[in-house]
Amino acid sequence: MKTLHNGDKSQPHIKQFQSSHWFVELLFGVMGALVLTLIVAVSINDASANDKNDKSDISDISDTSDTSDKSDKNDKKDKSDKSGISEAALIQVGTADMSLLWLDIYSAKLFSIDGKYQANRFPMTLDIQYHRDIDAIDLVDATIEQWQHLGFTEANIALYRQQLVNAWPDVKEGDRLTFRVNNPEDAAFLLNDTPYYQVSNAQFPEAFLDIWLSEKTSRPELRNQLIGVN
């Protein structure tokens, strides 16, 4: 009887232990779920943050590219504005080649607003492409010789010479020197399409173009080809 009685007393302890064990497992299960949920939430936040950073980087690169493009365009516009070069489209009037004995010196093209030549009507462009290397000092001397041939006074030649010294670069084979005249007060030299020198003398443009276009030029055949007279 005692043995049976003692067995009955131990039964509540077993039930209590089983109940506690179930509660602990439930508690750990809930905690595990919370931890898993927290890990997933952190992962999602990290992914979202990385995505935002990537978009921000792309946006920064795009903004930098746009800024760079705008800066380049502004730089080009500033150069064009400073040179006073007009963007008006001109039409070719004629073309001619300059040779000395068996040597090809340059090819020249003349452009006007309507493709026709009229003396001292602007805008007008003379484009020269060189077929050999020539030092600037040699170009200056050759230009002065042509002015002397045209009968320019020494005083005028001395006045124009300073413009020449600044305007003529050393040219290499294949270089293009362009003289664009929008009007007598707005003329500029370009080297390979890049603004090179802005003329500051209103009489210089006509004097310079006269070397090729004057009726007194030393090269009448070249003049006729440039102005479209065959």
Side-chain angles (χ1 to χ4, degrees):
M1 294 294 294
K2 290 183 179 179
T3 303
L4 180 60
H5 182 72
N6 289 337
D8 291 338
K9 285 185 177 181
S10 65
Q11 191 67 27
H13 293 288
I14 294 173
K15 292 181 178 180
Q16 182 178 3
F17 174 77
Q18 290 176 343
S19 177
S20 299
H21 181 69
W22 174 84
F23 178 76
V24 169
E25 288 182 348
L26 177 62
L27 181 62
F28 273 106
V30 171
M31 291 181 64
L34 289 175
V35 171
L36 180 60
T37 301
L38 181 60
I39 292 173
V40 171
V42 171
S43 299
I44 292 174
N45 288 336
D46 288 343
S48 177
N50 290 335
D51 184 57
K52 290 181 180 179
N53 289 335
D54 291 342
K55 291 182 179 179
S56 176
D57 291 341
I58 294 174
S59 177
D60 290 342
I61 294 172
S62 177
D63 291 343
T64 302
S65 177
D66 291 342
T67 302
S68 177
D69 291 341
K70 291 179 181 178
S71 177
D72 291 342
K73 291 179 180 178
N74 289 335
D75 289 343
K76 291 178 181 178
K77 183 177 183 298
D78 291 341
K79 289 181 180 178
S80 178
D81 292 342
K82 290 178 181 179
S83 69
I85 298 169
S86 172
E87 295 299 328
L90 300 181
I91 301 173
Q92 182 174 305
V93 178
T95 181
D97 296 318
M98 172 65 179
S99 299
L100 186 61
L101 297 178
W102 62 88
L103 299 177
D104 294 329
I105 307 301
Y106 62 77
S107 296
K109 297 178 181 179
L110 183 68
F111 298 83
S112 72
I113 194 68
D114 59 0
K116 298 179 181 179
Y117 171 71
Q118 183 176 328
N120 301 322
R121 185 185 64 166
F122 305 108
M124 187 183 299
T125 293
L126 179 68
D127 186 89
I128 304 174
Q129 183 168 25
Y130 290 90
H131 302 312
R132 48 192 308 107
D133 298 352
I134 306 177
D135 292 336
I137 187 61
D138 293 330
L139 293 172
V140 170
D141 290 343
T143 303
I144 291 175
E145 288 178 3
Q146 292 301 313
W147 280 336
Q148 291 171 340
H149 171 82
L150 293 172
F152 284 32
T153 65
E154 291 300 322
N156 283 338
I157 290 176
L159 184 63
Y160 302 148
R161 186 182 187 281
Q162 187 57 46
Q163 299 286 319
L164 280 179
V165 170
N166 294 323
W168 281 122
D170 293 329
V171 295
K172 302 296 183 183
E173 181 179 357
D175 279 349
R176 287 175 50 244
L177 188 70
T178 304
F179 185 54
R180 172 165 286 185
V181 184
N182 294 325
N183 58 65
E185 289 76 28
D186 183 11
F189 284 90
L190 296 82
L191 179 62
N192 297 323
D193 296 322
T194 300
Y196 185 81
Y197 178 71
Q198 183 74 30
V199 174
S200 60
N201 183 297
Q203 286 74 45
F204 181 87
E206 181 180 351
F208 187 78
L209 291 173
D210 274 350
I211 295 172
W212 292 269
L213 304 179
S214 171
E215 294 180 353
K216 298 179 181 179
T217 180
S218 64
R219 298 278 179 170
E221 292 183 1
L222 187 145
R223 173 184 182 271
N224 289 340
Q225 291 173 355
L226 282 176
I227 65 175
V229 177
N230 296 323

